[in-house]
Amino acid sequence: MHHLLRKILASLTLTAIAGASATANDRPNIVMILSDDQAWTDYSFMGHEHIRTPHLDKLAESGVLYPRAYVTTPLCRPSLMTLATGHYAREHKITGNDPSPRLAPKEDPKHVELSIELFENIDRLDTLPKILGEAGYLSHQSGKWWEGHYSRGGFTHGMTQGSPGRGARHGDAGLKIGRQGMDPIFDFIAHAQEEEKPFYIWYAPFLPHTPHTPPNRILEHYNALGLDPDVAKYYAMCEWFDETCGQLIDHLEEQGLRENTLIYYVCDNGWVQTPSTVKSKDGWRHGFLPKSKQSVNEGGARSPIILSWPGVIEPDIKGDLVSSIDLFPTVLSAANVDIPDGLPGIDLMPNARDGERIDRDIIFGDSYAHDIADLDNPEASLLYLWAIRDRWKLILSYDGEVNRYANVHPRDVPIQLYDVIADPHEENNLADRYPNIVADLKDAIENWYPLTERKLVSKN
């Protein structure tokens, strides 16, 4: 009898060990949802008066929402490169969207050579798809992708072909996703299921990015509110993007995959739509107002981050300061993959899943001109460094080369200090009132990014 009992207990122990091992080795599916040019305010769940985002609302309600989250560099290409590599722009060297026209006009063959040289930056660094691929994941790229063919980023499947000089800017064929349906992603999911492989999806549609061409069935609602025509189109684009997110999430649920899928959401950079009645001083309208895209103000650098994984992450809203730099290690942690040494971001899973305190009291960002003045020297285009600690945000401006969009980056600005809790739209510069806070944050920024060439142009 005792011998039989020992055998039963041993069997149960082995079964428990095997079950624990299987759970530890299980790889969840992972889906990144990235919107393009959308302000941190422009969602129902962030309290917008008009914009309807029911699917992202549901996603936020199902997981952890970080409303005080930021991207490191508020411009499309460098922001995406940070998500792909886990490094700041000064390290991955994709500081802007394009080589400066001063280096070579767009029609010059040398421009293509410079574009290819930029692609080579991603070859120096491990990417999220590459590391996940080594752990057995299949991965699919769709939407925005600037760094050449999708395979160059380590994706096993994708849409962007990346031929320089042939419409590759932004992501060529990848830009069809969302605007022309979701079938490429659905087909990839079916393939991954057939192969019995976990998958990673990079869903970065050209939405709500210009051209603002929303379906009339959505636009009619915003026109009926009596809004400025251009603002109404932008709002409708935000809802259209949300609709495509719903299609993706619904498909995961229909396939029985949602329970074992981590979805994370962030936007590449902000956008505040210029009303049709507003003209710039030089007569040229960028489409976005100051303090939004390309700006390190809240309207450009702030974006809510959502982590949703049913049964693993309990719904919550957290006031912690987090950054897009944190998403790379967080995804690897969720996938039970070793996080490489030397990454500047932190793993958010212990906070999101277990409620552990985030052991960091400050976040940083670096921001550069739209056009890259020197492909080997990030400082050449440096315009801003910024930091946030608690409620205080300090912005320092520098004398990097601007080229195009000069009127978006005025150089005659003071040092800027804002209480972004009380003043989230940064209307009251408090630098003169709190010189000690300015000094402390300025020291922190200069220790984080020691400069050798650039000079501070903002002064009190």
Side-chain angles (χ1 to χ4, degrees), residues 34-38 43 71-80 83 144 146 205 207 209 265-270 293 300-303 324:
L34 180 80
S35 59
D36 190 351
D37 290 1
Q38 183 170 359
Y43 313 81
V71 295
T72 60
T73 308
L75 181 63
C76 312
R77 188 175 185 178
S79 186
L80 268 65
L83 292 170
K144 293 286 281 287
W146 296 69
L207 294 167
H209 196 289
Y265 168 79
V266 68
C267 182
D268 64 349
N269 56 252
K293 184 170 182 173
R302 185 171 172 182
S303 166
S324 60

Side-chain angles (χ1 to χ4, degrees), residues 328-347:
F328 191 101
T330 300
V331 169
L332 293 181
S333 173
N336 294 310
V337 174
D338 290 339
I339 300 171
D341 294 334
L343 289 179
I346 64 172
D347 174 13

Side-chain angles (χ1 to χ4, degrees), residues 133-148:
E134 293 170 354
Y137 277 76
L138 299 181
S139 54
H140 186 274
Q141 172 274 328
S142 67
K144 293 286 281 287
W145 180 255
W146 296 69
E147 312 312 325

